[in-house]
Structures are given as C-alpha cells and as structure tokens.
Amino acid sequence: DVATLAVFRTIESVPTLSKKWYSDYCPRASSSAVISFVEKRVAPEMLKRELRRIGNVGSTFGEMSVTGSCVSRVITATYVQDESTLSVQITVPPTFPLRNAEGDCKKTL
C-alpha cells in the first residue's frame, strides 16, 4: 500500500522530525495507531536495515567490534586498547524513533 510505504519512508528518512511531529502535533485519537504502526512495521525493519549495514561493513572496525540483535534490540560496541576495554551498549525501544534509545557505557581495566 502506497500510504504505508510513504509513512515508513518518512519516518526512516527524517526520524527526528517524525518524533517531533508525534510528540507535538499528533492528535491523541491517532497516537495509539501511530505507535502501533511504528512498533509493528517501522522499528523492526529500521533495526534490521541498520544491523545489515553494520554487517556489510564488517563487525570489526580496527580494535572495535560491533554486534547487535533484532530480538533483544541491543547493539554493543566494544573497544580494546592495551589492557583496557570500553563497552557501549545501546538498547533500542520497540517504538524507536518515536522514543529515545538508551545507552550504557562500561570501562574495565
């Protein structure tokens, strides 16, 4: 359906603007339908595409490795330098990009 594709491409192309529209201008009567659409159609496909892009580049970038899962919705980047390890974990909510992703950083020596 053309309307579904148009909404999907809009949210994928301009996620920040879509989030702003949702938080400031989306009618309350439509908000549950928008959330449901994003949760079922947009967010899973966006995450799959981004993880595929990471995989196409390679999961290792020098001393940094990046892994992700569509099931757990978690992306982890680990950087090792000498005896230190820096790990960043990003948890993507089911309604991303309408909700912010959460990041967690850990450093070990």
Side-chain angles (χ1 to χ4, degrees), residues 16 19 21 31 36 46-48 54 68-69 71 87 90-91 105:
T16 304
K19 180 181 175 183
W21 170 82
S31 67
S36 177
M46 281 181 69
L47 185 59
K48 282 181 202 171
I54 291 170
S69 169
V71 176
S87 180
I90 300 170
T91 304
C105 183

Side-chain angles (χ1 to χ4, degrees), residues 5-6 9 23 32-33 36 46 49 56 58 62 73 77 80 85-86 90 94 99-100 103 107:
L5 181 61
R9 293 286 187 206
S23 64
S32 63
S36 177
M46 281 181 69
R49 289 179 183 199
N56 288 343
R73 307 187 63 78
V80 179
T85 302
L86 177 64
I90 300 170
R99 301 280 186 252
N100 291 332
K107 180 180 177 184

